[in-house]
Amino acid sequence: MKILNNQIFSNYGQGILLVDSASAYIEKNEIFQNYKANIAYGGTNSCDTVILNNLIFRSRSEGIFCIEGGYSWIKHNDIFDNSDGIIMFDSCNYISNNQIHENQRSGIICSGSSFPMIEQNQIFGNNQTGITVRDNSRVDAKQNKLFANYYQFSMKSLSQAK
């Protein structure tokens, strides 16, 4: 499925929802003011999802929510003024060359057993954390610019919480 050059806004659910058996190529859209995540996806076949060159903003929840997302690409997006920019759970996303800024809490949250590659992003002005890593997640983060967040990185594992 290709989702190209749309304005997707003011929905009571997600702006774009890809269920377990779906993947999509999502490019050059304005996705904003949705009650739930602007984009939500995950499951066994979501690994072919590409989210490229979109404006993703003003969601009351996440800009992008990914659960059990396999290896998907999130590149060259402007993600701002959401509750959180990107939340992933048990996912292995490739996140690069994005502007992730001015979200109410965190720019990126990695939870469960997520193993993303996060590189060459600008992550700034988020009210709490630029990148949060928790549970059993491990992050490969390189060549990012993190600044003007309350915390740049926050890490907490389940083993530390005992």
Side-chain angles (χ1 to χ4, degrees):
M1 172 186 283
K2 291 183 181 179
I3 303 171
L4 304 168
N5 297 311
N6 299 287
Q7 283 191 327
I8 301 167
F9 62 97
S10 297
N11 295 291
Y12 290 108
Q14 293 85 359
I16 297 173
L17 174 62
L18 305 174
V19 295
D20 186 45
S21 61
S23 64
Y25 183 87
I26 302 167
E27 183 178 12
K28 295 182 182 173
N29 300 285
E30 289 185 27
I31 308 160
F32 61 98
Q33 281 184 317
N34 295 293
Y35 190 77
K36 293 188 178 179
N38 281 323
I39 300 172
Y41 69 101
T44 54
N45 291 326
S46 68
C47 60
D48 293 327
T49 296
V50 174
I51 301 171
L52 179 67
N53 292 321
N54 298 283
L55 286 174
I56 301 168
F57 61 99
R58 249 184 259 139
S59 170
R60 291 184 61 176
S61 296
E62 305 84 15
I64 299 173
F65 178 77
C66 179
I67 184 167
E68 298 175 1
Y71 189 79
S72 58
W73 284 24
I74 301 172
K75 295 181 69 173
H76 297 285
N77 299 287
D78 193 359
I79 303 168
F80 63 95
D81 197 24
N82 302 287
S83 180
D84 294 292
I86 300 171
I87 293 181
M88 67 189 79
F89 186 86
D90 291 345
S91 298
C92 299
N93 309 81
Y94 178 67
I95 302 169
S96 82
N97 299 98
N98 299 286
Q99 300 259 345
I100 303 169
H101 58 99
E102 298 166 353
N103 294 289
Q104 304 307 312
R105 293 185 299 204
S106 295
I108 299 173
I109 297 176
C110 306
S111 59
S113 293
S114 293
F115 303 98
M117 166 69 78
I118 302 171
E119 65 180 2
Q120 297 178 346
N121 298 283
Q122 289 195 23
I123 304 169
F124 61 93
N126 298 289
N127 288 341
Q128 290 182 2
T129 308
I131 299 174
T132 299
V133 181
R134 58 183 183 212
D135 305 330
N136 294 316
S137 295
R138 301 289 180 263
V139 171
D140 189 355
K142 57 186 173 185
Q143 298 177 335
N144 297 287
K145 292 182 182 176
L146 290 97
F147 59 95
N149 304 294
Y150 191 79
Y151 297 108
Q152 306 317 310
F153 277 94
S154 172
M155 292 172 230
K156 182 177 182 182
S157 70
L158 287 176
S159 61
Q160 292 172 337
K162 290 180 182 178

